[in-house]
Amino acid sequence: MNRPRPPRDSLAEILTLRPEGNGAWSAMLESFWGASLGGDLLGRAVLAGSSREAEPLRAVQASFLRSAAPEQPLRFRCEALAPGCARVEVHDGDALSASVTLRFGPDAKGLTYQSVPAERGLPAPESLPSETETAEKEGWGPYAAGPIESRRLSPYTAVKDHEPAVWLGWLRPKLPLGDDAGLHAAAVAFLAEYRSHWAVERRLGAAFPETQLTLLDHALWIHRPRRWDDWWLVRTESEIGVGGRCLSRRTLFARDGALVASAAWQHEVRDRG
């Protein structure tokens, strides 16, 4: 029996598409220990949409209709909905796996503000243990593989009912992404969903291994299109869950404190039994 493969270290190698012509592309999602990531699908949908748009990516709205297995061929078909707006449908054979709407637009002069500051006084990422060191110390060493390097700031402990479920840490690509602006936008979409279970895991605590999370919907807003070539501060929180549907939010801050992007998504959480 083939063992589930860990992901590659290069996000640029993972986020690729093969053109099929007539607005269609094909790809196989990366294996993350035998599973696929929603962010992998989102990143490739962004690549498909960016191929026909000159302006920066501004927003992504996605509905996940069924799970897509890794290392199986998927088809990405892109159609223009309006100037600066496109929809990418992802098919697994004849079945629709996801529908992703993308909005693009130029920088414009207008109302500009940021009232949400990044946390202050945090340790620099270079001063924190590497993910490999943390993983070996905590017993999950094999799962430190992959295209993203992290430096965790929040404790790996469950929260009490009255406490907010928050995960905070520094993240960056393990290997440089290069100069392609479309690839950097796809990488932000990947990061916006990467390990989206973190906050819910802190809420569940010891019960987390016995649960199954299914991603239902995802939304991303890019406030400041930027290259992702340095450590970014990632804050993930989940404030409400009702009937097994849990809402999480994420903010992505550049090292200089600028809020680059915001995301929100909904998981369905069920017992594995």
Side-chain angles (χ1 to χ4, degrees):
M1 179 180 296
N2 293 330
R3 298 181 62 184
R5 289 200 310 107
R8 288 171 284 178
D9 284 342
S10 173
L11 189 56
E13 291 181 4
I14 291 173
L15 295 177
T16 59
L17 293 172
R18 185 174 65 186
E20 300 288 345
N22 297 320
W25 291 262
S26 63
M28 292 191 292
L29 300 183
E30 188 78 358
S31 171
F32 283 75
W33 303 279
S36 64
L37 296 187
D40 188 1
L41 186 150
L42 289 175
R44 299 189 204 228
V46 167
L47 288 177
S50 298
S51 67
R52 59 194 305 167
E53 292 286 343
E55 302 295 350
L57 180 68
R58 296 296 179 178
V60 180
Q61 306 280 339
S63 294
F64 292 84
L65 307 176
R66 52 179 51 84
S67 61
E71 301 182 307
Q72 298 297 320
L74 298 177
R75 195 161 187 260
F76 295 71
R77 175 166 288 280
C78 181
E79 63 172 330
L81 300 180
C85 188
R87 177 171 60 216
V88 178
E89 291 190 342
V90 185
H91 289 265
D92 183 354
D94 294 330
L96 180 63
S97 293
S99 179
V100 185
T101 301
L102 308 170
R103 188 176 295 278
F104 300 83
D107 291 327
K109 294 181 180 179
L111 180 63
T112 300
Y113 63 93
Q114 179 182 327
S115 60
V116 180
E119 281 82 352
R120 300 183 182 279
L122 298 175
E126 294 84 359
S127 70
L128 297 169
S130 71
E131 185 172 31
T132 299
E133 292 169 334
T134 300
E136 290 177 351
K137 180 179 179 180
E138 296 178 351
W140 51 278
Y143 294 97
I148 308 298
E149 175 67 17
S150 72
R151 299 284 191 271
R152 194 171 71 217
L153 290 161
S154 56
Y156 192 63
T157 55
V159 296
K160 299 177 181 178
D161 290 343
H162 66 280
E163 296 176 333
V166 176
W167 190 97
L168 186 67
W170 297 99
L171 280 81
R172 73 173 179 185
K174 278 187 178 177
L175 298 175
L177 295 174
D179 296 326
D180 183 2
L183 177 59
H184 279 269
V188 173
F190 182 94
L191 176 61
E193 194 278 332
Y194 179 68
R195 293 182 178 172
S196 56
H197 64 274
W198 269 333
V200 174
E201 181 179 11
R202 291 205 68 200
R203 175 64 64 198
L204 290 170
F208 178 74
E210 307 304 321
T211 58
Q212 178 174 334
L213 275 65
T214 302
L215 182 63
L216 303 177
D217 309 283
H218 195 282
L220 166 66
W221 299 270
I222 298 178
H223 313 301
R224 297 179 171 96
R226 285 198 176 188
R227 292 170 54 95
W228 185 25
D229 52 12
D230 191 11
W231 294 101
W232 283 3
L233 183 65
V234 177
R235 188 180 194 277
T236 307
E237 62 182 325
S238 184
E239 297 174 326
I240 186 168
V242 178
R245 292 177 182 261
C246 300
L247 178 69
S248 297
R249 296 185 296 160
R250 175 169 288 178
T251 46
L252 310 178
F253 292 91
R255 192 195 282 251
D256 62 9
L259 179 57
V260 176
S262 303
W265 60 88
Q266 184 175 222
H267 274 124
E268 182 179 60
V269 182
R270 293 284 181 265
D271 292 337
R272 289 188 180 275

